[in-house]
Amino acid sequence: MAKDGNTSAADFLPDRLDLDALRSAAACCEGCGLYRNATQTVFGEGPRQARFMLVGEQPGDQEDRQGHPFVGPAGRVLDKGLAEAGIARDDVYVTNAVKHFSFTLRGKRRIHQKPTAAEIEACHPWLDAELAVVAPRVVVVLGATAARALLGREFRVTRSRGEPVPLGDALAVATIHPSAVLRAPDRDAAYAGFLADLQAAARAA
Ligand code: URA
Ligand code: SF4
């Protein structure tokens, strides 16, 4: 039970902290209400020795169906940015602040809904455990939800993006979410800024 008496992922953490144990425990998490309507928990993926940990918001529609993080349109932007910033895929652990898809139904369409502050908090023990096990050198914070989860409510991505800031034993570098690149009126400019931040993350490592 979390300190305030609400349920959270803390109730479902395994005794043994390694990635396999965490992943199987998270598959049964009922730490907030999001498990009810989503297809499955989408846990982080990547090598335990990764120097980079990338943290997004939550799985989207494709991720929810396939069970892997960043496999939809946002993932394609991310993969392109990583390749162009010279960050190797096998040096990257990818995860999300919230591990279940949150959506509202519009007819048959599932419309992504931002996770609430309570859901971000409830899911935080998984992210903390991933950080403890992977112990990355650089944490790339993708967008406002991940920034809120890792850097606090006062942090503003727009103001401080691309600047390494201490996060435990690691350095965090924030940037916009790859979905925001896709939604931007000037996509090329948004992508260029995103890439510049990933290059700053590469230098910080
Ligand atoms: N957006 C995210 O924040 N994470 C994903 O895994 C996919 C889309
Ligand atoms: Fe557990 Fe996080 Fe899923 Fe909520 S979103 S049920 S806390 S894994």
Side-chain angles (χ1 to χ4, degrees):
M1 200 74 89
K3 339 184 234 324
D4 55 8
N6 295 328
T7 49
S8 86
D11 300 337
F12 299 87
L13 283 175
D15 297 329
R16 193 162 50 93
L17 285 192
D18 65 48
L19 290 177
D20 289 340
L22 286 169
R23 180 174 291 103
S24 32
C28 309
C29 184
E30 299 182 359
C32 75
L34 290 181
Y35 75 92
R36 288 198 190 93
N37 296 321
T39 308
Q40 56 193 318
T41 305
V42 180
F43 205 68
E45 289 180 357
R48 195 190 67 76
Q49 303 87 344
R51 281 190 306 159
F52 296 88
M53 183 181 286
L54 271 54
V55 183
E57 180 179 76
Q58 58 159 330
D61 179 77
Q62 287 300 315
E63 290 78 15
D64 173 74
R65 295 175 196 278
Q66 297 181 38
H68 303 290
F70 282 107
V71 290
R76 285 190 280 282
V77 175
L78 187 58
D79 285 345
K80 180 166 187 267
L82 289 173
E84 291 184 8
I87 299 175
R89 226 41 187 83
D90 62 7
D91 208 5
V92 169
Y93 183 92
V94 184
T95 192
N96 284 298
V98 170
K99 279 20 178 196
H100 273 107
F101 182 37
S102 176
F103 61 94
T104 49
L105 277 179
R106 195 171 304 157
K108 283 190 183 162
R109 281 188 60 204
R110 306 193 303 170
I111 311 296
H112 159 273
Q113 205 179 20
K114 263 175 103 67
T116 65
E119 288 158 354
I120 295 168
E121 193 179 334
C123 209
H124 203 267
W126 296 124
L127 186 55
D128 257 352
E130 289 173 296
L131 279 166
V133 172
V134 178
R137 182 119 27 113
V138 174
V139 179
V140 181
V141 178
L142 300 168
T145 297
R148 180 172 181 136
L150 289 166
L151 302 169
R153 294 168 48 171
E154 304 302 321
F155 187 90
R156 292 288 172 273
V157 173
T158 43
R159 201 187 304 145
S160 303
R161 59 186 293 184
E163 292 171 16
V165 292
L167 177 65
D169 295 333
L171 288 171
V173 177
T175 186
I176 57 172
H177 193 283
S179 300
V181 174
L182 293 172
R183 283 194 308 266
D186 184 346
R187 229 191 240 200
D188 291 344
Y191 177 76
F194 176 68
L195 177 57
D197 295 339
L198 292 181
Q199 286 164 334
R203 283 195 301 274

